[in-house]
Amino acid sequence: MKKWLMIAVALVAAVGAGLWLRGGGNEQAPQVAFSSLAGQASSMEQLRGKVVLVNFWATSCSGCIKEMPQLVSTHHKYAGQGYETVAVAMSYDPPDYVREYASAHKLPFFVTLDSTGGVAKAFGEIRLTPTSVLIDKNGNVVKRYLGEPDFNELHAQIEKLLKA
């Protein structure tokens, strides 16, 4: 009996994790505000009407650094069609490192420092990087990516959401 209970608990956990990674249906993105490295203020509310990828990253994260050129390419490809990227540097990332990286690599999108950890907390206690959250024009979480996304699949999702 104990074995069946453990299997049932594992199954429920797996289904819950799957829903979390997919976005869980009609989950609304948290209504957070943030400032860019240049001091420009924005918020999830201001981004409503756009398809948004919120990417949690750190300069010390090799996977984050590896995926960054593809995030830049994706941003360039869709920015003119109503797509926005918000790169959220984790609270433990030294601000000078983030500024230096963003400047050296000419990141074309909104880069913000999550110095208090509030943005990561609002998006579901994000601790692992890279983690990305794809949000539709209505502010609904469509999918969560833990680790580097399959960029072909991500592009297909973005194109579908831009047409909606």
Side-chain angles (χ1 to χ4, degrees), residues 39-58:
Q40 176 189 2
S42 189
S43 68
M44 290 308 300
E45 184 59 37
Q46 286 178 288
L47 294 172
R48 193 166 286 237
K50 292 187 174 199
V51 174
V52 180
L53 184 72
V54 179
N55 175 258
F56 292 88
W57 71 293

Side-chain angles (χ1 to χ4, degrees), residues 53 65-79 83 85 87 101-102 105-109 111 151 155:
L53 184 72
I65 300 309
K66 180 180 179 281
E67 77 174 2
M68 198 57 77
Q70 289 181 283
L71 290 174
V72 169
S73 176
T74 299
H75 182 80
H76 284 308
K77 183 173 183 175
Y78 298 109
Y83 171 80
T85 308
Y101 184 89
H105 294 87
K106 297 178 177 43
L107 299 184
F109 39 73
V111 179
F151 278 91
H155 288 186

Side-chain angles (χ1 to χ4, degrees), residues 66-125:
K66 180 180 179 281
E67 77 174 2
M68 198 57 77
Q70 289 181 283
L71 290 174
V72 169
S73 176
T74 299
H75 182 80
H76 284 308
K77 183 173 183 175
Y78 298 109
Q81 301 173 49
Y83 171 80
E84 186 61 59
T85 308
V86 178
V88 180
M90 298 297 283
S91 61
Y92 54 81
D93 209 354
D96 289 344
Y97 289 16
V98 176
R99 285 185 189 93
E100 183 179 315
Y101 184 89
S103 176
H105 294 87
K106 297 178 177 43
L107 299 184
F109 39 73
F110 201 98
V111 179
T112 185
L113 298 168
D114 189 15
S115 55
T116 66
V119 177
K121 183 175 183 171
F123 272 88
E125 299 285 348

